[in-house]
Amino acid sequence: MNPFALFSIFYIFAPNQNTNDEHKAMVNVVVPDDRARKLTFYLAMEEYLAHHGDAPEYLFTWTVEPTVIFGRNQFVENEVNLDYCREHGIMVVHRKSGGGCVYADKDNLMLSLVTKQENVGFAFNQYINMILLLLRQLGVEAVGSRNNDIMVGERKVGGTACYKTGDHCIVHGTLLYDTNMEHMTHAITPSAEKLQHNGVKSVRQRIGLLKDHIAIGIDELKAFIPTQLCPEEQVLTEADIHGIEELEKKYEIVWCPPND
C-alpha cells in the first residue's frame, strides 16, 4: 500500500490537533456579490480570515479569469511564458506558498482551507483527505500522491500548496474540472527535468479532467462541496471586503491585462 494512503487513513480518525480550542464546525465563507475579482483578492481573503476570523476552520471555493500563479521559491522567467500570457490576456501572480506553477480559469475550481493548525503536514493531509472523500462520494477513485497532488489513475486532477501564517495554516488547491488546455500547456513552461521526474513528456500528458469522471457540472460541484463539509456559513461584511482589498494591495501581480 502507498505509505501516503496509510498516513491519510490515520489522519481521518486522528483527533484534531487544535487542543486549545473547542471543536467548532468548519465555516463556508461567502462573498456577498458576484463581481469578477482577481486571484489576489482570494489570496488576501485567506490571509484576512487567518488573522481576523474567529472560527478554527474556514473553507471557500472560487474561480477566476485566466491566471498563472507561481510559487514562493520560483523564478517567473523559469516557469512562465510571459510573452504568451501577455498575448492571450493571462494574469501572472506570485503567491506566498511554495510548490509549483499553476494555471487557473473559470473551468478550474479553486478551494481554500484556513485552519488553526501549526503543523503544515497535518494541514496538507486534512485538505487532501477532505477532497479524496468528496470525490469518492461522487464515484471517483482518487488518491493522494507524495507531492500532495490529487490523482485519478496516472493523471493529476488537483494540486495543493500550503503556508503557515501565525498560528494558522493556509492550504489552497485546484480541482481540474475542465480547463483551456492550450493556455495551460503554453503559459506554463516546466523544465524537461521536472517532466522526466513525473514520468511524462508534456504537461498535457500528465493532466486529467474531472468532467470525464463525474456526472455533474462545475457549478453543481462548487455547490456540493460546502454542503458536505460546512454546516455553518459566514457572509463577508463590507468591513471584511474593505480589509481584504487593503491586504490585496500587498500581493505581487507580475503582469495584468490592461482592462483589469
Side-chain angles (χ1 to χ4, degrees), residues 57-103:
E57 293 182 342
Y58 293 99
L59 182 76
F60 59 95
T61 60
W62 43 287
T63 58
V64 289
E65 295 297 332
T67 305
V68 168
I69 319 101
F70 64 103
R72 178 183 61 225
N73 301 316
Q74 293 184 306
F75 296 102
V76 63
E77 60 271 17
N78 295 340
E79 305 291 337
V80 183
N81 184 337
L82 286 172
D83 290 338
Y84 183 89
C85 291
R86 292 187 184 105
E87 181 181 352
H88 292 87
I90 301 171
M91 186 180 295
V92 180
V93 173
H94 194 192
R95 66 176 189 264
K96 293 185 177 182
S97 57
C101 195
V102 174
Y103 168 80

Side-chain angles (χ1 to χ4, degrees), residues 153-172:
E154 298 297 319
R155 292 182 179 266
K156 176 180 174 178
V157 298
T160 60
C162 179
Y163 75 100
K164 186 174 176 293
T165 176
D167 59 355
H168 283 70
C169 282
I170 292 172
V171 188
H172 29 227

Side-chain angles (χ1 to χ4, degrees), residues 12-13 16 19-20 27 49 51 53 57 76 109 136 148 165 177 188 201 206 212 221 226 241 249-250:
I12 292 172
F13 297 103
N16 192 299
T19 54
N20 294 327
V27 177
L49 290 169
H51 292 296
E57 293 182 342
V76 63
L109 188 60
R136 286 169 185 169
N148 299 308
T165 176
Y177 179 83
I188 296 175
K201 295 181 179 179
R206 186 171 182 243
D212 298 328
L221 178 60
I241 297 291
K249 295 174 183 177
K250 300 179 181 180

Side-chain angles (χ1 to χ4, degrees), residues 97-183:
S97 57
C101 195
V102 174
Y103 168 80
D105 59 28
K106 286 291 188 179
D107 292 320
N108 179 352
L109 188 60
M110 312 291 285
L111 296 95
S112 295
L113 170 68
V114 180
T115 178
K116 194 169 184 182
Q117 166 66 262
E118 296 192 46
N119 186 309
V120 171
F122 276 103
F124 261 128
N125 272 276
Q126 177 183 0
Y127 173 87
I128 290 170
N129 276 293
M130 288 193 314
I131 301 305
L132 295 182
L133 291 171
L134 285 168
L135 291 176
R136 286 169 185 169
Q137 284 181 270
L138 294 169
V140 181
E141 289 300 317
V143 297
S145 78
R146 292 179 181 273
N147 297 324
N148 299 308
D149 292 331
I150 308 295
M151 308 292 293
V152 177
E154 298 297 319
R155 292 182 179 266
K156 176 180 174 178
V157 298
T160 60
C162 179
Y163 75 100
K164 186 174 176 293
T165 176
D167 59 355
H168 283 70
C169 282
I170 292 172
V171 188
H172 29 227
T174 60
L175 278 180
L176 280 166
Y177 179 83
D178 194 4
T179 194
N180 185 322
M181 198 65 76
E182 288 301 310
H183 281 353

